[in-house]
Amino acid sequence: MSAPDADPTSLEARLPSPQAREEAVYVRLRQLGIAWKAFEHVPVFTVEQSQSLRGIVPGGHTKNLFLKDRKDGLWLVVTRENARVDLKTLAREMGQQRFSFGSGELLVETLGVPPGSVTPFALINDAPPRVNVILDEKMMANEVLNFHPLRNDRTTAITSAELLKFIRSTEHEPRVLALPEVAP
């Protein structure tokens, strides 16, 4: 997720086609010997919209927060879809004053995806690595996890162990943490 600062359609026009972005993910997965299962569906931009896919797409469902700190450090927080992450507390735990959502422009520039398509698979576009990666410990307890393959009308399922392998192949070292949550 990122702040809605620009029309996602105009941002997406600056990127390779959705098919080319998706194929880049699958090429990397094949190179790493990672098995995956792909699902096609209507475009989904929010967790609420993606919940309509329950029963069709098995496994742990996720959300991805693209964040920026006050010193322009970039962060990708990958968590369970229903987690309410306390960003203020997380920022302090990471030694930062605060986090804000990264802009759509910054998302396209750094991860090569438009708003609504944020995913840890986009780390293949962050070279040299600029983004700090935080994975939710509770999310990682799921055997299978679901993410967009750099487009939001598809979902790709891989195991949590293979997610770590994929992220490390992009020269990022993810931190698996118990994320602070806002009380309901």
Side-chain angles (χ1 to χ4, degrees):
M1 258 164 60
S2 67
D5 56 58
D7 175 19
T9 308
S10 66
L11 291 173
E12 191 160 1
R14 299 188 346 227
L15 296 169
S17 72
Q19 296 81 3
R21 295 192 313 261
E22 178 182 24
E23 185 56 29
V25 171
Y26 298 149
V27 165
R28 176 65 66 95
L29 293 173
R30 280 191 290 275
Q31 289 171 342
L32 295 170
I34 295 175
W36 75 91
K37 185 164 185 174
F39 301 89
E40 291 185 35
H41 50 75
V42 298
V44 292
F45 293 90
T46 66
V47 168
E48 291 75 25
Q49 290 174 345
S50 70
Q51 288 175 337
S52 68
L53 303 175
R54 296 313 158 265
I56 299 168
V57 180
H61 295 274
T62 61
K63 68 179 171 185
N64 303 275
L65 308 173
F66 180 63
L67 307 172
K68 187 178 136 194
D69 64 40
R70 283 196 161 181
K71 297 178 183 175
D72 293 329
L74 302 176
W75 302 79
L76 178 63
V77 177
V78 185
T79 185
R80 296 158 284 130
E81 70 177 348
N82 59 350
R84 296 182 60 217
V85 179
D86 182 341
L87 294 179
K88 190 174 185 177
T89 300
L90 180 60
R92 280 195 312 267
E93 289 178 2
M94 296 295 102
Q96 304 301 318
Q97 288 186 346
R98 70 176 182 85
F99 286 134
S100 59
F101 286 96
S103 70
E105 291 282 337
L106 187 57
L107 179 62
V108 166
E109 172 192 321
T110 309
L111 293 179
V113 292
S117 298
V118 182
T119 170
F121 292 140
L123 293 166
I124 62 174
N125 296 321
D126 182 34
R130 293 175 48 198
V131 177
N132 297 287
V133 182
I134 299 173
L135 303 176
D136 176 14
E137 183 177 79
K138 290 180 182 175
M139 175 195 73
M140 293 300 288
N142 287 286
E143 183 177 342
V144 175
L145 296 169
N146 295 295
F147 303 102
H148 291 312
L150 282 61
R151 59 189 295 176
N152 67 358
D153 61 349
R154 306 280 192 280
T155 295
T156 301
I158 65 172
T159 68
S160 55
E162 299 287 34
L163 173 64
L164 291 172
K165 181 178 180 180
F166 179 90
I167 292 172
R168 289 180 176 128
S169 82
T170 67
E171 299 183 19
H172 294 81
E173 186 53 46
R175 294 182 231 180
V176 179
L177 304 172
L179 298 179
E181 294 190 51
V182 176

